[in-house]
Amino acid sequence: LEDKIMEWQDEFLVNKWFAISNSTEDSTLLFNYAALANTYPYYADFYNADSAIYYAGKAKEVFDKIKSSGKYKDWFKDDNKIYFLFNMQEVNATIFHTAGNYSKSLEIRLDNLSLAEGSALAYMKSDALRSLAILYASMKDYNRMLDCGLKMDTVLAGMDGSKSNWYTYYIYSTNYTIASAYFKLNKPTEALFYAKKLERLNMNVATELYALRTQLLLGDIYALLDDSKAAMNKYDSILLDIPETIHHFGALAWLGKAKLYQKNNQTDSALIYAQKAYMFFKTNNIDALISSGWGENSNYYLSEISPLVANLFSATGYPDSAYKYLQLYVSLKDTLFNNEKATQFQAIILNETSRQ
């Protein structure tokens, strides 16, 4: 075995800026702009959404220049170069998603799906469908989310697993998407069928992330099936050892426990855990952590938790506190999803349906 250091983290930005300022070659500029665009949104040490958008835009400018000049015309016969453009656009889509601009994110991701459909790379199409499914989940369009997941399953069936080190990841993302969609559609039996497949996978990357995500989904499914014991076991297993970089899963486990206690009429315990979950997302900026996963931010989760806290305060005889959390919920919901945004979504989806 041999370890190699490609670049020191504290020199990464300086090296990229130096390369950009000292180069006239479009290909060099492109790869360095893209490297910065892919760094700012996905790494907590560097997180800056504005910088990510700026450098993704610069990379796109250079890419378009290269494409129009014909200087690198052979690039566009190469699916891997198309995948490079796909990834640059996905950076922007994720940032817009995290910022709550779902319409712009949807527009970019539908464009990426068109790119993928013109490529021979099966994994690019799977990535495009997964990203759309993530966005549809935020938009609460769970039928379209499920449709994306089932299409991912069709793509997966045509993949040659021996040609990709990431084949297991695509098995995971496909089954996770389908299970999550069925759960959201209140079909726990179907959800459990696909979620159980996740436990049997041996992930060779980001093992803790995938394990925690699976346990959380299974806990939620068992809760929907009224198997409180199995659900509580899953939530407690998450809370045993949370890595600092993905500690939001602990807050989501608290939320799961709160809902279980509420269902079992243990209102005081439910309120304790609901408030713990609420305070976590109130005091932690999780954009950098979530953007590489499901594109949400703290406000998204606060909008999910605040009506629960309001309900619990009302049930325990504190109407003033209940009203406070209901006001917060209304404010957050209007920010994240309103009639104007819904109209924009429908227009974009209609245009895409017509294209197909």
Side-chain angles (χ1 to χ4, degrees), residues 48-322:
N48 187 312
D50 291 337
S51 293
I53 292 173
Y54 172 79
Y55 284 111
K58 296 296 287 185
K60 181 68 163 57
E61 284 178 17
V62 177
F63 192 92
D64 289 342
K65 178 185 173 185
I66 289 171
K67 189 173 183 180
S68 62
S69 71
K71 184 178 178 182
Y72 297 94
K73 59 184 179 181
D74 288 342
W75 274 27
F76 302 96
K77 298 175 184 177
D78 184 349
D79 280 332
N80 289 314
K81 297 297 191 299
I82 300 300
Y83 196 46
F84 180 81
L85 173 61
F86 176 97
N87 282 326
M88 284 195 303
Q89 294 198 150
E90 178 57 27
V91 170
N92 271 340
T94 300
I95 293 165
F96 283 122
H97 184 172
T98 305
N101 191 342
Y102 296 167
S103 297
K104 186 62 179 175
S105 181
L106 179 60
E107 187 179 326
I108 295 170
R109 282 173 169 161
L110 287 172
D111 185 49
N112 260 359
L113 180 60
S114 297
L115 271 179
E117 287 172 341
S119 164
L121 299 178
Y123 56 79
M124 194 193 311
K125 186 170 184 180
S126 183
D127 286 341
L129 289 166
R130 174 185 174 273
S131 294
L132 274 171
I134 290 167
L135 185 57
Y136 286 136
S138 295
M139 294 161 56
K140 303 187 186 304
D141 190 341
Y142 303 125
N143 284 304
R144 282 196 172 89
M145 180 188 180
L146 177 60
D147 182 60
C148 287
L150 295 175
K151 286 178 179 176
M152 288 168 68
D153 205 27
T154 301
V155 173
L156 182 67
M159 280 188 184
D160 183 352
S162 65
K163 293 183 178 180
S164 174
N165 294 329
W166 287 86
Y167 183 62
T168 305
Y169 162 78
Y170 287 104
I171 297 173
Y172 182 93
S173 63
T174 297
N175 286 288
Y176 183 85
T177 300
I178 296 172
S180 298
Y182 274 128
F183 168 73
K184 293 293 187 180
L185 289 167
N186 202 31
K187 295 183 177 181
T189 303
E190 293 89 339
L192 185 61
F193 173 79
Y194 285 95
K196 293 292 280 185
K197 292 183 179 183
L198 304 176
E199 286 193 308
R200 296 192 289 270
L201 285 175
N202 180 24
M203 302 299 294
N204 58 356
V205 291
T207 306
E208 291 173 324
L209 170 64
Y210 293 119
L212 290 172
R213 186 176 285 163
T214 299
Q215 296 306 303
L216 184 64
L217 177 59
L218 282 167
D220 292 343
I221 293 169
Y222 284 128
L224 192 57
L225 287 165
D226 291 323
D227 189 342
S228 295
K229 183 177 180 181
M232 194 66 80
N233 284 340
K234 294 298 180 185
Y235 296 140
D236 285 339
S237 71
I238 292 170
L239 294 167
L240 285 176
D241 185 23
I242 299 289
E244 185 177 348
T245 53
I246 45 178
H247 55 329
H248 60 281
F249 281 107
L252 294 175
W254 288 334
L255 177 60
K257 287 168 74 80
K259 290 178 179 178
L260 273 183
Y261 283 127
Q262 182 190 37
K263 184 182 286 189
N264 294 327
N265 296 316
Q266 295 173 270
T267 309
D268 290 340
S269 296
L271 183 57
I272 289 170
Y273 282 102
Q275 283 188 290
K276 286 177 72 169
Y278 177 87
M279 287 307 300
F280 173 86
F281 290 111
K282 183 72 174 174
T283 56
N284 286 274
N285 176 3
I286 59 166
D287 289 1
L289 301 174
I290 299 297
S291 62
S292 60
W294 280 76
E296 310 302 355
N297 59 23
S298 291
N299 281 344
Y300 174 86
Y301 289 106
L302 289 173
S303 73
E304 297 285 307
I305 300 168
S306 53
L308 172 64
V309 178
N311 252 331
L312 293 168
F313 268 124
S314 180
T316 51
Y318 293 95
D320 290 345
S321 295

